[in-house]
Amino acid sequence: MNTSVQETNEPVQMAEEKTARAVGINSPAAPRARVRTLLAIPVAASVALVVHLFVSKNQPAPETYSYSVFLGSILLSGVLAAAGQSFSSHLMRWMRHMGPIIAAAVSLACFWEVITSGLRLLPLPYFPGPAGVLQSLIDDRALLLDSAWNSLKLLLAGYALGVAVALVTGVCIGWFNQARYWGMPLLKVVGPIPATAWIPLAMVLSPSPRFSAIGIIALAVWFPVTMLTASGISNTRASYLDVARTLGAREPYLVLRVAIPAAMPSIFIGLFMGLGAAFLTLVVAETVGVKSGLGWYVAWKQGWAEYGKVYAALVIMAAFFSTIMTLLFKVRDRVLVWQKGVIKW
Amino acid sequence: MSASASEGSSLRVLGVVKEFPSPDNANVRTLALAGVTVSVAAGELVSIVGPSGCGKSTLLRLIAGLDSPNSGELWIGDVPIIAPSAERGLVFQDPNLFPWLTVRRNIQAGLVARGVLQEKRHEVDEFLRLVGLDAFANAFPHHLSGGMSQRVALARALINHPKVLLLDEPLGALDAFTRMRMQDEVLRLWQARRTTMLLVTHDIDEAIYMSDRIVIMTPSPGRIERTISVAQDRPRQRSSPEFLRLRGEILELLHFAGNATRDRSTVSPGVSPDAADGSPGDDRKPPEQADPAMVKQNTQSGAVHSLREALSSRKNSTSLLRHSGLPPG
Ligand SMILES: Nc1ncnc2c1ncn2[C@@H]1O[C@H](COP(=O)(O)OP(=O)(O)OP(=O)(O)O)[C@@H](O)[C@H]1O
Ligand SMILES: [Mg+2]
């Protein structure tokens, strides 16, 4: 990074500087490739803004206003980031990485606006334009936030319960022959049933729908995490266990400090699969039972044919789920640092 | 560390037989050890040499208590060996470091396993320094070279102060200089504590340089061919006539063992360069068994051979190493 900052200060870069001036960017000289990267967001946002203003002449005023402000702020932050990046190498790295992706997202929104509000290729009210969705998001923000919060609570409770039980059962099945003999058939028969298929039974059995939803999510998480924990534990290299034994290790050490660390890569695969299963089960459980959360919100708004709000909820869901996924990746990177260089990272 | 009395215990292996099911046919069994009897006195250092596949590792695993014999008995002092214990440390042929632990944590694993980390924490640094890896304390095993990994494995076994230390080619992956330094370090540790040691090696020089007795094993089925005593004071000179005579004797035994099984290639490569040592100008007789093929091999590896000779002819090889910029012991 530092080297390229230095490069920008060298007079050799005069030609690029001219190019940059010609395009009207008020930034210090930069290699050509980076100029293109820098321009991506402002250009995409400007195009989207022009398209929007052109398309939305006959749209309701508040929608037009908020979407214009939205695109305008992207344009502004794009320009600011482009200008400010020579001061912060962190910002520059971020821009270099995220610039094209953000620009692509803005262009996609623009394309969406053209085929919906612009050319009206898709039937209303099922396919509102981006401006409508943004307006729904703003109008219903309190309820959406509340729903997201409720979903988060349900998800975390179910996921934590499922993982906790699965780690215990997985380690037992992977380590003890008795547990494997009895546990494996159960796992093989019960595990593959989609957790959502248990919903009718859970609703009968449990006093509250929230309670049954937590149980169902936990069940969905339990299967993959148990399976991969058990296989990770039983695949521990025998020589690691031999070494530990000759060092005086007893069974607790062998399980907790040899088999479990050795199984960690496998356990994390289970945790990721379990998280995916948890998202699915959460939304289904909220749709059919629980009277709150994002899944419930989507079903409810669909009943009223308020598709703008349905999409708004989907946008929130996407942000919400991907944030949680990213957090799990961060945890994995922390726990499995020792794998860096051992596997393709 | 300055205990003059032996920390070790005696070891007796009596008529031990170990069979393995053959990989392709479960009904056929390969005899890895056919009635092996060895006894090692408390505080003795005994080497085992022998061609690949003669059951050296199998024997060490039995003594460690990781496997049990088909018949025969194993005793530490007057206690039968039934399970692994921290009293019998084993350095495996592969370093087998825990990849999820840093070097420091690998070395202190034995302390953690025995629940004595609090009292013995200071020893971790001692052993890190001993194997010359203090700079790598926080590195993960993946970042170490093969020789460094072996040194960590050695430190990891030593930190438990075992009464019997079983070493399965612990210095195999080291370069000649580090190897000699580590030989002296292992000897120093052994002399300080009088741990009972059983050292498997492919390097005949190493066996003669270090041990009180050398057990020569032959394969198919694995058994003990002969035990040779080395009655020289330490530090030994690698070019003394007695040293070279012993080497000739051992090579001859291994050579015949190789012929007997019709597979001389099983004599490990570490053995052949040292096959014959009739360097001209030396005032000693070339060993009798030097057949033409072996003499030829010897001249090919002459450069390495004479370098080693030159080094070992110094009374104290570590002082030479110090001048060559290697970390002192
Ligand atoms: N777990 C096992 N299963 C089947 N056969 C085995 C097993 N372990 C060892 N053997 C066999 O026992 C014999 C002795 O093996 P061992 O590993 O003890 O040899 P070694 O003397 O240590 O050889 P090297 O010098 O190459 O390490 C070999 O023929 C090997 O195939
Ligand atoms: Mg071996």
Side-chain angles (χ1 to χ4, degrees):
Chain A
M1 288 299 119
N2 280 334
T3 54
S4 48
V5 171
Q6 277 165 358
E7 265 175 34
T8 58
N9 297 332
E10 275 171 16
V12 190
Q13 305 288 331
M14 286 298 282
E16 271 84 1
E17 195 167 355
K18 266 189 207 143
T19 325
R21 289 239 177 84
V23 188
I25 284 297
N26 189 14
S27 73
R32 203 181 301 260
R34 272 193 30 233
V35 171
R36 216 187 302 148
T37 316
L38 289 185
L39 282 178
I41 295 179
V43 167
S46 317
V47 170
L49 196 56
V50 169
V51 167
H52 173 64
L53 293 177
F54 187 73
V55 156
S56 64
K57 287 207 182 75
N58 44 6
Q59 300 279 317
E63 268 182 26
T64 311
Y65 176 71
S66 43
Y67 193 57
S68 307
V69 169
F70 175 67
L71 287 177
S73 49
I74 291 184
L75 176 58
L76 191 67
S77 20
V79 170
L80 283 180
Q85 64 149 352
S86 46
F87 302 108
S88 152
S89 68
H90 186 265
L91 182 64
M92 182 163 74
R93 249 195 317 269
W94 189 85
M95 276 290 287
R96 199 177 267 184
H97 184 64
M98 290 305 291
I101 293 175
I102 294 176
V106 171
S107 312
L108 208 63
C110 175
F111 175 71
W112 176 15
E113 179 152 43
V114 169
I115 60 172
T116 53
S117 315
L119 305 176
R120 298 195 181 283
L121 293 178
L122 298 170
L124 280 170
Y126 307 110
F127 297 100
V133 172
L134 182 70
Q135 194 55 43
S136 310
L137 201 64
I138 293 167
D139 289 347
D140 230 6
R141 59 185 180 276
L143 186 55
L144 274 168
L145 267 182
D146 189 53
S147 300
W149 173 240
N150 281 324
S151 287
L152 180 68
K153 283 192 291 190
L154 206 57
L155 181 77
L156 286 188
Y159 189 68
L161 179 66
V163 167
V165 175
L167 287 179
V168 173
T169 51
V171 169
C172 287
I173 291 175
W175 187 260
F176 300 105
N177 289 332
Q178 279 284 317
R180 184 201 309 277
Y181 178 82
W182 295 108
M184 218 47 187
L186 184 74
L187 197 63
K188 278 186 185 152
V189 171
V190 176
I193 302 175
T196 48
W198 295 100
I199 287 177
L201 184 67
M203 289 212 277
V204 174
L205 285 179
S206 115
S208 88
R210 286 193 68 78
F211 213 72
S212 60
I214 291 176
I216 297 288
I217 295 169
L219 187 63
V221 175
W222 174 78
F223 173 58
V225 179
T226 302
M227 206 64 177
L228 279 138
T229 304
S231 91
I233 296 277
S234 57
N235 284 332
T236 306
R237 265 173 60 178
S239 54
Y240 292 149
L241 297 169
D242 285 346
V243 169
R245 284 196 188 100
T246 61
L247 292 174
R250 305 248 156 271
E251 195 148 21
Y253 185 97
L254 296 181
V255 177
L256 298 175
R257 300 212 181 224
V258 181
I260 291 181
M264 259 319 166
S266 173
I267 292 175
F268 266 98
I269 296 174
L271 290 178
F272 280 109
M273 288 170 61
L275 192 57
F279 291 154
L280 175 79
T281 314
L282 171 76
V283 172
V284 175
E286 284 176 342
T287 309
V288 300
V290 190
K291 292 279 168 280
S292 67
L294 288 169
W296 161 80
Y297 182 95
V298 168
W300 184 49
K301 290 301 173 188
Q302 192 213 356
W304 291 99
E306 290 184 276
Y307 282 91
K309 294 189 173 166
V310 169
Y311 290 112
L314 291 181
V315 169
I316 296 286
M317 223 183 257
F320 172 57
F321 288 167
S322 67
T323 306
I324 292 178
M325 205 48 123
T326 309
L327 283 178
L328 188 58
F329 267 108
K330 286 247 158 32
V331 172
R332 184 204 63 170
D333 291 356
R334 179 67 67 83
V335 173
L336 297 183
V337 258
W338 57 270
Q339 277 203 317
K340 223 170 196 163
V342 179
I343 54 166
K344 185 174 180 298
W345 189 256
Chain B
M1 283 224 183
S2 56
S4 53
S6 170
E7 273 190 20
S9 359
S10 65
L11 165 70
R12 278 180 300 149
V13 177
L14 304 173
V16 159
V17 174
K18 181 68 184 173
E19 300 177 335
F20 288 109
S22 147
D24 28 62
N25 184 353
N27 296 325
V28 180
R29 316 195 119 240
T30 45
L31 199 53
L33 294 175
V36 166
T37 300
V38 200
S39 56
V40 182
E44 201 181 9
L45 200 170
V46 173
S47 290
I48 304 178
V49 296
S52 185
C54 68
K56 305 181 293 293
S57 299
T58 306
L59 181 60
L60 289 202
R61 283 181 64 87
L62 290 174
I63 298 169
L66 292 169
D67 292 328
S68 43
N70 293 76
S71 70
E73 293 170 26
L74 297 115
W75 297 82
I76 290 289
D78 44 13
V79 185
I81 296 174
I82 40 171
S85 141
E87 289 186 349
R88 276 162 281 132
L90 172 54
V91 179
F92 289 72
Q93 205 162 359
D94 294 330
N96 278 319
L97 302 180
F98 300 127
W100 54 87
L101 296 181
T102 58
V103 166
R104 171 185 295 280
R105 284 169 181 275
N106 262 290
I107 291 177
Q108 71 190 21
L111 302 181
V112 176
R114 293 184 299 136
V116 294
L117 181 63
Q118 286 311 319
E119 307 96 89
K120 302 273 179 75
R121 193 183 287 279
H122 59 278
E123 293 195 11
V124 179
D125 289 299
E126 275 174 39
F127 280 98
L128 268 170
R129 229 170 301 127
L130 172 74
V131 294
L133 287 172
D134 16 9
F136 289 85
N138 297 317
F140 282 104
H142 170 70
H143 300 286
L144 304 182
S145 72
M148 289 157 93
S149 304
Q150 269 190 334
R151 283 183 276 157
V152 178
L154 190 61
R156 180 171 65 173
L158 287 171
I159 203 164
N160 270 343
H161 298 263
K163 289 184 174 168
V164 175
L165 186 58
L166 309 164
L167 303 164
D168 199 345
E169 283 190 67
L171 311 179
L174 303 182
D175 63 284
F177 295 100
T178 319
R179 188 175 182 128
M180 286 187 204
R181 190 171 72 80
M182 290 305 294
Q183 285 171 359
D184 286 328
E185 284 301 344
V186 172
L187 274 179
R188 199 177 58 74
L189 274 168
W190 171 74
Q191 277 164 336
R193 295 222 214 100
R194 290 285 159 183
T195 312
T196 309
M197 276 198 200
L198 206 49
L199 169 76
V200 168
T201 177
H202 277 151
D203 182 347
I204 294 174
D205 278 8
E206 182 170 287
I208 304 172
Y209 182 72
M210 296 185 71
S211 36
D212 296 322
R213 280 188 299 142
I214 300 171
V215 172
I216 294 158
M217 289 184 70
T218 53
S220 323
R223 71 209 139 75
I224 293 178
E225 174 79 22
R226 176 93 66 89
T227 305
I228 294 177
S229 296
V230 187
Q232 287 182 65
D233 291 335
R234 295 189 181 83
R236 290 177 184 155
Q237 295 181 40
R238 293 171 207 253
S239 56
S240 70
E242 173 66 5
F243 198 103
L244 297 163
R245 191 191 60 73
L246 275 174
R247 187 161 65 183
E249 190 180 333
I250 294 169
L251 280 166
E252 190 174 11
L253 284 166
L254 288 173
H255 171 72
F256 285 135
N259 264 352
T261 54
R262 302 242 166 272
D263 186 10
R264 285 177 50 188
S265 64
T266 54
V267 180
S268 76
V271 172
S272 40
D274 299 324
D277 63 290
S279 351
D282 276 340
D283 57 348
R284 48 194 138 80
K285 278 187 291 173
E288 306 75 22
Q289 99 293 356
D291 67 41
M294 283 190 150
V295 170
K296 205 169 178 187
Q297 268 181 320
N298 184 39
T299 46
Q300 278 164 359
S301 60
V304 178
H305 190 73
S306 53
L307 173 63
R308 193 184 270 194
E309 207 88 311
L311 275 173
S312 53
S313 63
R314 297 294 184 94
K315 171 117 181 143
N316 185 354
S317 61
T318 38
S319 69
L320 182 71
L321 294 174
R322 244 173 232 134
H323 292 300
S324 63
L326 276 146

